[in-house]
Amino acid sequence: MLKHLVLTRVLVHLAAKPKPYRAIDTHAGLGVYDLEAEEAGRTGEWHDGFGRLDAPFAADVEALLAPYRAAVAAVRARHGATTYPGSPAIIREHLRAGDKGVFVELHPVDAETLGARYASDSRTKVMYLDGWTALNALIPPPERRGVVLIDPPYEEHGEIDRLGQHLLKAARKWPTGIYLGWYPIKDLSAVDRMAAALDTGLERPALRLDLMIERPDDPTRLSGTGLIVINPPWMLAAEAELFLPALAERLARSGYGAFRSERLGRGE
């Protein structure tokens, strides 16, 4: 949910200027998910995340959540009341006539499903390709402005370090692009190590946004999630200072909720 909210805020800021942009999702998944399907029902994770957002927040926080809530509503109107949008669906709902969305997925069945889902939309393109390969191949885009979302499955050891390395490489190749690198928070030391490397190596400004819903004292348990945002829109840091504490309070488990909004790299 944090990933989709921050992605939405970035897309809103990109759309504030008339020039077209390109949104690239390197690990796209299925695009739309049924919360009543067997897998979602088995884990039940959404109940403690998106499922706890029904009650409104304070007005200033609700104003920031409004485009995200609108995207969810639009996807549900199209696909059914029990669906939840993945990042491709979030992106699609924000594309204007001249904007482009590129969705990359390596799993053959998921890529086929995604391709069929968006085949009729000329603004989108689905690619069956490794996401890390696509990250290097697809930047800089023809529009020269846009956002790249990197959300790998984290099934292999060292993926958080790998994320940091690829973000550094990508930012050197396309210095003005906006990058969103999502990570799970289990072993907090791994995230700290990656963030420190980015702080030292980045020539561009960045934000580290963490949302913790359990105490990070068990490296085998998912305690929270976070995002590295390279070249964040100038208002995003101030927005995060509003929505992060509100989400930490609402989603806290066992009386613990925390957040971090920290600047990295070299500011402009």
Side-chain angles (χ1 to χ4, degrees), residues 14-228:
L14 282 170
K17 295 182 179 180
K19 189 175 180 181
Y21 67 81
R22 181 166 298 217
I24 302 168
D25 188 342
T26 64
H27 299 78
L30 286 169
V32 176
Y33 301 90
D34 186 352
L35 297 181
E36 291 190 350
E38 180 181 353
E39 183 176 357
R42 184 173 63 251
T43 64
E45 291 177 349
W46 70 272
H47 289 287
D48 286 330
F50 177 71
R52 296 171 68 180
L53 298 188
D54 289 343
F57 291 89
D60 52 357
V61 176
E62 276 298 322
L64 298 176
L65 266 63
Y68 164 72
R69 291 194 187 277
V72 174
V75 170
R76 289 186 158 183
R78 188 177 295 112
H79 297 285
T82 64
T83 56
Y84 180 79
S87 45
I90 294 284
I91 290 169
R92 182 187 183 276
E93 292 304 324
H94 287 85
L95 294 177
R96 303 166 300 177
D99 302 328
K100 298 293 182 183
V102 180
F103 310 139
V104 181
E105 178 53 47
L106 184 59
H107 190 287
V109 176
D110 291 357
E112 183 178 0
T113 301
L114 197 63
R117 180 164 284 141
Y118 296 117
S120 63
D121 192 331
S122 62
R123 301 168 302 171
T124 64
K125 180 179 181 180
V126 175
M127 300 181 68
Y128 172 44
L129 186 65
D130 173 70
W132 298 114
T133 301
L135 173 60
N136 181 65
L138 297 177
I139 60 170
E143 295 83 0
R144 298 287 168 164
R145 66 186 300 260
V147 58
V148 180
L149 173 64
I150 308 165
D151 174 17
Y154 291 98
E155 295 172 345
E156 300 178 11
H157 179 72
E159 284 283 78
I160 288 181
D161 289 324
R162 187 182 189 185
L163 172 66
Q165 294 161 7
H166 278 272
L167 284 171
L168 281 172
K169 182 179 179 181
R172 293 182 185 122
K173 185 174 183 182
W174 183 27
T176 58
I178 301 173
Y179 299 90
L180 305 181
W182 180 89
Y183 48 86
I185 301 176
K186 293 183 178 179
D187 180 0
L188 192 57
S189 65
V191 179
D192 290 341
R193 182 174 63 246
M194 181 263 291
L198 288 171
D199 190 36
T200 301
L202 276 174
E203 298 289 334
R204 306 295 299 178
L207 288 174
R208 172 185 174 180
L209 305 177
D210 289 357
L211 176 62
M212 308 294 296
I213 60 173
E214 290 193 88
R215 295 186 184 278
D217 52 11
D218 181 353
T220 67
R221 180 183 65 202
L222 182 66
S223 303
T225 66
L227 288 158
I228 298 294

